[in-house]
Amino acid sequence: MKTRLRHVLCTQVACLGLWTMLAFAQSSDLSQNFEACKAGRDACDQSKLSAAQAAVVALASHSRNVANCRNHYEHCDRSTLSEAETVALAVADHQRNVTDCIDGMQSCEQSKLTPAEARDASAAERQRNVAACQNGGGNCDHSKLSASEAGAVDSARQQLNASDCKNGSGLCNYSQLTPSQTKEVAEGEHKRNAQSCENGWDECDHSKLTALEARQTSSAEHQRNLTVCRNGEETCDYAKLTAPEAKALADAEHKRNYMACLKGRGYCDASRLTVEETRTLHPGN
């Protein structure tokens, strides 16, 4: 009797546990379905929603539709918008078109502009054309310039050309320079060449240096060579060193070699040590 009762109780406990697991799994499925519906995913099953969940899903779907309409996405249903939302959308669409027209975007619809907005867009387009002509842009249309604008553009282009020639950058047209600008450009080019030579840059033309500049360049080149020799770099030209410099370098290298042998660190060439130095390495001998 006791055995039977125990069996019945165990069976009931097992059933209760199984029911709890099934209930939990069902609850999880419903929760996932609710999230899928709110996100508008294909996995959504509207029939499994409660009344409260259906209301939340409907609100989320409406909000998505409003956003789609504002962003001009394909999935926009204007028929579901409220009157206020429709008006707000129309205002936003109009302002976006105004901005596109003023910015010169291809999406601009001129026919939807008010007369005042059309004038603003035309003025903006005119300014863009003037700027393009002044900067040498490919979108410049000289035929659209007024007499005063053409004069301002010519002046700006002349200044830009002079700046390019002085700085050795951009597209320099020497034929467009005034006599004073030609002189300034020549002075700038000479100064840049002297700096290039003194700094050891490839753009150096030694033939264009003055006697003073040639001496300064030679001194700078000698100092650079001395520095690389002191650093043991491969570009060192020992033949260009003076006798005192060569001796100083040799003394420094001899000292380095001795310390390397003495401390056992670094490259050591024992054959270059003096007898006394060799004796200090092996004081017992």
Side-chain angles (χ1 to χ4, degrees), residues 3-279:
T3 302
R4 226 170 132 191
L5 179 60
R6 187 181 298 113
H7 177 72
V8 171
L9 289 174
C10 289
T11 301
Q12 290 177 342
V13 170
C15 290
L16 179 61
L18 180 60
W19 179 86
T20 302
M21 291 175 60
L22 292 174
F24 177 79
Q26 185 178 20
S27 175
S28 178
D29 289 342
L30 292 175
S31 177
Q32 290 178 2
N33 181 65
F34 179 44
E35 294 300 324
C37 291
K38 282 197 298 183
R41 295 196 290 266
D42 293 337
C44 167
D45 186 348
Q46 293 276 350
S47 65
K48 292 182 179 180
L49 298 175
S50 66
Q53 289 175 333
V56 172
V57 168
L59 182 61
S61 177
H62 184 79
S63 297
R64 272 197 311 278
N65 184 62
V66 171
N68 288 342
C69 293
R70 281 295 186 99
N71 293 312
H72 289 184
Y73 292 159
E74 181 180 354
H75 300 293
C76 162
D77 186 356
R78 290 175 179 259
S79 66
T80 64
L81 300 179
S82 68
E83 182 179 353
E85 290 167 342
T86 300
V87 172
L89 176 60
V91 171
D93 283 347
H94 183 86
Q95 188 54 49
R96 177 183 289 153
N97 184 60
V98 171
T99 301
D100 288 348
C101 292
I102 290 178
D103 292 343
M105 305 291 288
Q106 290 186 347
S107 53
C108 163
E109 296 186 57
Q110 291 279 350
S111 61
K112 293 184 177 181
L113 299 176
T114 66
E117 292 165 347
R119 288 193 296 272
D120 291 342
S122 178
E125 169 60 26
R126 191 176 194 88
Q127 286 301 315
R128 278 194 301 276
N129 185 59
V130 170
C133 293
Q134 288 178 336
N135 298 326
N139 295 325
C140 166
D141 186 347
H142 282 276
S143 66
K144 292 182 178 180
L145 298 175
S146 66
S148 61
E149 290 171 343
V153 165
D154 289 342
S155 177
R157 290 295 301 154
Q158 189 178 52
Q159 291 298 322
L160 181 61
N161 181 63
S163 177
D164 287 344
C165 293
K166 289 177 184 177
N167 298 324
S169 61
L171 300 175
C172 169
N173 187 338
Y174 288 93
S175 65
Q176 293 181 359
L177 297 175
T178 64
S180 62
Q181 289 173 337
T182 300
K183 182 180 178 182
E184 290 178 4
V185 168
E187 291 174 350
E189 289 179 342
H190 184 89
K191 184 178 179 180
R192 282 195 304 277
N193 182 64
Q195 290 176 336
S196 296
C197 292
E198 190 168 344
N199 292 322
W201 297 337
D202 293 337
E203 296 80 7
C204 164
D205 185 346
H206 285 84
S207 66
K208 294 182 179 180
L209 297 176
T210 65
L212 176 60
E213 291 167 344
R215 288 194 298 271
Q216 291 173 333
T217 295
S218 178
S219 176
E221 290 174 344
H222 184 85
Q223 189 59 46
R224 280 195 300 274
N225 183 59
L226 179 59
T227 299
V228 298
C229 289
R230 284 173 176 169
N231 295 334
E233 298 178 24
E234 62 182 40
T235 54
C236 168
D237 187 346
Y238 291 95
K240 292 183 178 180
L241 297 176
T242 65
E245 290 169 346
K247 183 178 184 306
L249 283 177
D251 290 344
E253 168 54 24
H254 187 89
K255 182 179 179 179
R256 184 211 63 77
N257 184 63
Y258 171 63
M259 295 305 295
C261 295
L262 182 64
K263 295 184 177 181
R265 294 181 181 277
Y267 174 72
C268 164
D269 184 354
S271 66
R272 292 196 287 128
L273 299 176
T274 65
V275 174
E276 183 61 30
E277 288 170 341
T278 302
R279 187 178 295 115

